[in-house]
Amino acid sequence: MLCYTQKLAYMGNYMINRDKTRRERYDEKKQNAETYPISIATINFMHDGNLGYLVRSAACFGAECVHVIGSVPDRNILNAASGTLYDYVKINQHNSPMEFLDFTRKNNHKIISAELVEGAKPINSYNFNFDKHVCLVVGNEESGIPVEILNNSDKLYIPMPGVGYCLNTSQ
């Protein structure tokens, strides 16, 4: 049994030594961390903190990269929201939706858009195929995913049986 004076905490199956800095713990965990042939793409957020949360999610779940279509805020803005994980996930910036689409074609990425649009399938019935890199695109808070990307992707939605009908893109 652990006591408070040991400065140890459990996180899932991991024992965390609180005598180390967050960066030291991340560096240590990175030695055995797994990544998957998946990335997340987003349109420039109106709230830069959301990009930090998305970077944090990508790092925690093993995504290789976050693609940002539009501007990427300074590191000091991403720092707190990402849990300082921005150095552990590659961030690719694309100036336009067409530039992003060119990148995905050249790199043989499968694009899947998470959007509430006609013809979208529920995510729980979609047959994901990871034979090639999968890029999940989430939209801007107000404008969603550009039509150029929607027209070149499979479209999915997340069923929400509760009162709400739309998640924040960083979720």
Side-chain angles (χ1 to χ4, degrees), residues 11 22 34 42 47 74 80 106 137 149:
M11 293 279 292
R22 180 180 286 199
E34 296 181 39
T42 186
H47 308 286
D74 291 334
K106 288 177 188 169
V137 181
I149 295 174

Side-chain angles (χ1 to χ4, degrees), residues 97 100-101 111-118 120 137 139 143-156:
F100 168 73
L101 287 170
I111 305 172
I112 300 172
S113 293
E115 186 71 274
L116 296 169
V117 294
E118 189 174 328
V137 181
S143 59
I145 297 172
V147 69
E148 307 98 294
I149 295 174
L150 287 171
N151 289 339
N152 288 281
S153 66
D154 289 352
K155 293 165 267 318
L156 302 180

Side-chain angles (χ1 to χ4, degrees), residues 7-65:
K7 294 186 180 179
L8 296 173
Y10 278 108
M11 293 279 292
N13 294 328
Y14 299 98
M15 182 83 89
I16 297 178
N17 183 341
R18 296 293 183 189
D19 288 334
K20 294 182 180 179
T21 66
R22 180 180 286 199
R23 179 70 57 174
E24 289 170 333
R25 292 191 309 264
Y26 287 160
D27 287 342
E28 190 174 273
K29 191 172 180 200
K30 184 167 176 58
Q31 296 172 21
N32 297 315
E34 296 181 39
T35 58
Y36 301 95
I38 12 178
S39 59
I40 302 170
T42 186
I43 312 314
N44 180 23
F45 285 96
M46 294 182 64
H47 308 286
D48 290 333
N50 285 340
L51 178 57
Y53 296 131
L54 198 62
V55 167
R56 179 182 243 171
S57 295
C60 289
F61 292 107
E64 293 178 341
C65 176

Side-chain angles (χ1 to χ4, degrees), residues 56-169:
R56 179 182 243 171
S57 295
C60 289
F61 292 107
E64 293 178 341
C65 176
V66 173
H67 298 275
V68 180
I69 303 166
S71 63
V72 176
D74 291 334
R75 291 168 54 104
N76 63 342
I77 293 172
L78 293 178
N79 187 39
S82 74
T84 67
L85 285 164
Y86 49 78
D87 287 332
Y88 297 90
V89 174
K90 184 175 182 182
I91 299 174
N92 283 342
Q93 181 180 8
H94 306 277
N95 292 320
S96 69
M98 291 309 294
E99 184 180 300
F100 168 73
L101 287 170
D102 288 343
F103 174 87
T104 59
R105 285 184 195 112
K106 288 177 188 169
N107 291 282
N108 196 29
H109 286 21
K110 172 76 173 174
I111 305 172
I112 300 172
S113 293
E115 186 71 274
L116 296 169
V117 294
E118 189 174 328
K121 297 178 183 176
I123 195 168
N124 55 350
S125 69
Y126 185 78
N127 185 20
F128 283 89
N129 181 350
F130 296 103
D131 288 343
K132 65 180 181 177
H133 188 99
V134 171
C135 183
L136 178 63
V137 181
V138 295
N140 178 282
E141 289 92 336
E142 290 185 7
S143 59
I145 297 172
V147 69
E148 307 98 294
I149 295 174
L150 287 171
N151 289 339
N152 288 281
S153 66
D154 289 352
K155 293 165 267 318
L156 302 180
Y157 70 93
I158 300 169
M160 292 174 247
V163 175
Y165 63 89
C166 187
L167 292 170
N168 180 288
T169 55

Side-chain angles (χ1 to χ4, degrees), residues 1-8 18:
M1 180 174 232
L2 297 176
C3 66
Y4 291 109
T5 57
Q6 290 175 302
K7 294 186 180 179
L8 296 173
R18 296 293 183 189

